[in-house]
Amino acid sequence: RAFDREDMSTASGLLSRAAVLLDEEEAVRLGVTWRLGIALFELGELTEAERVLERGTGVADRIGATTSGWWLRMELAELRSWRDLSQYVEVMEIGRRAATELEAGGDMAGVARAYRLMGHAYASRGELEKAIEHFETARVYAEKAEDERELSQTPNLGVVHSPVPAPRCLELIQSNLGRARRPDPDGLAGLGFVLTMLGRQDEAEA
């Protein structure tokens, strides 16, 4: 529950204790490892997160847990890309392969995660239109999977401060707000900013 409500400090402690109690090769532990890796990453404990995810990936490969292996591998790839932007080619390859294999296995949430990973890779190179396309595809798959966490992960690219034309920014923000399942103050602020840029002051203040 702590993980689901984004309380990563509490989640990391609980997940660490749970991991100790489970046999390393139990399939359920791979899910614990995945969550623990994310919690540590979001807390900024990158070295420990990398160690946890790398070990989990090795275990998944050893016991043939293909789906869990891709989920772990994608988180590990994203973590490493934050440390080293030159990882772009490797990240894209992992994203493409994960999307193909997970879709074949019917894991729509996993496909959503793969497209989000590729979107981040494009964004890191300033290719915002391609990034946006991949984030939009990720959202479509997350909706198919009814995966609330993945739906909440669509990033705010800061498009209002980017070279993306204001009309396109407006289209993207309105699309995201229209599909949001929870209040999005950042999205609303961005909407007001773009409307002001377009000279639609009355709508921006509404």
Side-chain angles (χ1 to χ4, degrees), residues 24 29 33 50-60 62:
E24 185 174 66
R29 178 166 168 169
T33 299
E50 183 172 17
R51 184 192 70 79
V52 167
L53 291 168
E54 191 170 49
R55 185 167 182 173
T57 300
V59 172
R62 188 164 66 248

Side-chain angles (χ1 to χ4, degrees), residues 34-98:
W34 174 75
R35 289 174 175 81
L36 178 57
I38 291 173
L40 291 167
F41 184 13
E42 295 193 7
L43 289 169
E45 299 180 31
L46 303 187
T47 299
E48 181 62 11
E50 183 172 17
R51 184 192 70 79
V52 167
L53 291 168
E54 191 170 49
R55 185 167 182 173
T57 300
V59 172
D61 289 345
R62 188 164 66 248
I63 67 174
T66 305
T67 298
S68 294
W70 279 118
W71 279 88
L72 288 158
R73 194 168 283 110
M74 286 190 286
E75 295 304 331
L76 183 59
E78 183 151 306
L79 184 154
R80 287 174 171 168
S81 72
W82 276 84
R83 284 182 157 179
D84 180 4
L85 294 178
S86 69
Q87 295 280 324
Y88 169 81
V89 174
E90 290 82 355
V91 171
M92 290 299 296
E93 177 63 18
I94 288 171
R96 291 187 186 108
R97 290 179 59 200

Side-chain angles (χ1 to χ4, degrees), residues 135-154:
F135 290 135
E136 286 294 298
T137 302
R139 180 179 287 276
V140 169
Y141 278 101
E143 287 174 345
K144 287 181 181 178
E146 298 184 344
D147 188 312
E148 291 291 337
R149 184 174 195 282
E150 191 58 40
L151 278 168
S152 74
Q153 296 301 305
T154 299

Side-chain angles (χ1 to χ4, degrees), residues 151-173:
L151 278 168
S152 74
Q153 296 301 305
T154 299
N156 177 0
L157 283 173
V159 289
V160 295
H161 303 295
S162 76
V164 176
R168 175 65 170 145
C169 289
L170 179 61
E171 177 188 334
L172 292 166
I173 293 171

